[in-house]
Amino acid sequence: MKTSILSLALAAGLLFPGLGSAQDAEPAELTEAQMEELVQRSYQYVAMYNVNNKFALDTDNPLCTRGYNRASASTTLADHTLQANARPNNDTLFVPAMVDVTEEPIVMVMPAFDSKYVSLMVTAYDHYVNIPMSTGDGDFGKPSTILFYSERTPDYDGSPVEGVDKVFEVSGDFVSAALRVMPHAAEPERLKANLAAMQRVEVKPLSVFLGKNEGGAKNPDLKAEQARFPAFGSDFEIFEDRFLEVMQFVVNHTTFDSEDELDVALLKILKPL
C-alpha cells in the first residue's frame, strides 16, 4: 500500500523541520549504533541525490543533460576516464534522461532501435532499480512512449493517455531514466542507425506531448534549476555538512511504502532527528 510521505512522516513522528511539531523539537542524541544504522540506511539516498542531480545539473559531468526533463545521447563507449557513475557499461551506449514530475507528467518519446539489447532503467533517490522496458520483453522494435508520474504529480491519477504506450508510476519526483543501447559497432550501417535513433530520444511534459502547450518546453536556466535543490557534491560532504537539509528534501520527494520493511526502517531511524 502506497501512502503519501507527509502523512506517513507525521504518523511516524519524524522530527524534520517543517513537519508539524518538529520545528520546536530538540535534536536527540544518537548512540553509536544508531548513528551507524542511520548512515547505512540513508547512504543510498544521499548517493542517488548526488548522482541524479549531477547528471541533470553539473556541466562538468560529460553525461549532463543540462537540466531536468531533457535527454542527452552519449555516442562513444565509456572507458576508465568516465567517472560520472561508479561502473559505466563498456559494451553499451547511454542515453540519460533526467525527469522531474513535480509539475506534470513527463513523456519519454523513443524511436525504434535495430539492436539486440536495449533497456530502460529508472531510478529515483531511493536507488531502487526499475526496468519498465527492454528488448527482452519485446520492446523497442517500434517507436514507443512511456509516461512518468509520481503520487505527488498534480492533476493526474495514472489514467491511460492517447498516444502513450506505457504509464509508469515512479517512486520519486526526480528520477533518471537511462537507456542502454548495444550499438553493434562491428556493423557500420547498424551502428549508424542506432546512433541516429539515440539522438532522437525526447522528453516532454504531457501538455507539450498532447499539443496543449503551444509554446513548447522551455530550456531550463541551470542556475535557477540548481537553486531548487540543496547543494549536491560528494557523499562525504553531505553527511558532514548538510545531511538534514538533503534528507528533508529527499523525504519530501519520495514515495515510501508503509508495508516495505526497508522503507519503514529508514523512517524509524530518522524519527529521533
Side-chain angles (χ1 to χ4, degrees):
M1 178 183 70
K2 296 285 187 179
T3 182
S4 75
I5 182 53
L6 182 57
S7 63
L8 186 57
L10 288 173
L14 270 176
L15 300 185
F16 267 55
L19 292 183
S21 61
Q23 287 179 315
D24 301 321
E26 289 294 328
E29 290 291 332
L30 298 181
T31 66
E32 185 173 341
Q34 287 176 313
M35 185 68 73
E36 182 175 351
E37 183 181 6
L38 176 65
V39 172
Q40 289 178 343
R41 294 196 180 278
S42 61
Y43 187 80
Q44 69 193 57
Y45 296 87
V46 170
M48 285 309 298
Y49 177 82
N50 282 326
V51 168
N52 280 5
N53 287 322
K54 285 180 179 180
F55 268 78
L57 304 170
D58 182 1
T59 55
D60 290 332
N61 180 349
L63 299 181
C64 180
T65 60
R66 304 189 70 83
Y68 275 95
N69 297 333
R70 293 173 68 90
S72 177
S74 178
T75 56
T76 58
L77 288 174
D79 62 17
H80 66 285
T81 65
L82 180 63
Q83 298 182 14
N85 53 338
R87 296 176 179 84
N89 288 40
N90 184 252
D91 55 351
T92 62
L93 298 175
F94 288 89
V95 185
M98 302 309 299
V99 174
D100 169 4
V101 297
T102 57
E103 295 185 4
E104 61 176 301
I106 300 298
V107 179
M108 191 171 181
V109 182
M110 296 162 288
F113 287 92
D114 181 18
S115 176
K116 184 176 181 179
Y117 176 83
V118 184
S119 68
L120 178 64
M121 182 185 74
V122 180
T123 309
Y125 291 154
D126 55 21
H127 211 159
Y128 294 143
V129 173
N130 303 278
I131 310 291
M133 299 179 68
S134 72
T135 48
D137 291 330
D139 300 315
F140 299 113
K142 60 181 180 179
S144 54
T145 54
I146 183 170
L147 180 149
F148 299 111
Y149 77 104
S150 79
E151 68 170 23
R152 290 160 298 282
T153 303
D155 304 320
Y156 181 73
D157 61 2
S159 300
V161 175
E162 185 175 357
V164 171
D165 299 311
K166 185 183 291 286
V167 173
F168 188 76
E169 182 178 358
V170 290
S171 57
D173 298 333
F174 302 97
V175 302
S176 66
L179 278 169
R180 288 188 172 97
V181 182
M182 181 184 290
H184 295 271
E187 303 172 66
E189 291 303 315
R190 201 172 182 184
L191 171 63
K192 182 179 179 181
N194 282 320
L195 293 178
M198 289 171 60
Q199 295 178 67
R200 293 201 301 273
V201 175
E202 297 182 274
V203 182
K204 302 179 180 182
L206 180 58
S207 60
V208 175
F209 177 78
L210 295 175
K212 295 180 179 180
N213 183 351
E214 295 181 0
K218 296 180 180 179
N219 290 341
D221 179 294
L222 282 183
K223 289 186 177 179
E225 279 278 273
Q226 289 169 344
R228 300 173 61 199
F229 302 88
F232 53 84
S234 76
D235 302 342
F236 297 108
E237 273 186 293
I238 287 180
F239 276 109
E240 289 180 354
D241 300 331
R242 48 187 180 277
F243 175 77
L244 288 178
E245 181 185 13
V246 167
M247 284 303 294
Q248 175 72 77
F249 187 90
V250 166
V251 163
N252 288 345
H253 291 285
T254 299
T255 303
F256 291 91
D257 186 338
S258 61
E259 296 181 358
D260 183 283
E261 62 178 324
L262 295 178
D263 286 3
V264 171
L266 172 70
L267 295 180
K268 181 179 179 180
I269 195 63
L270 288 175
K271 180 178 178 180
L273 298 181

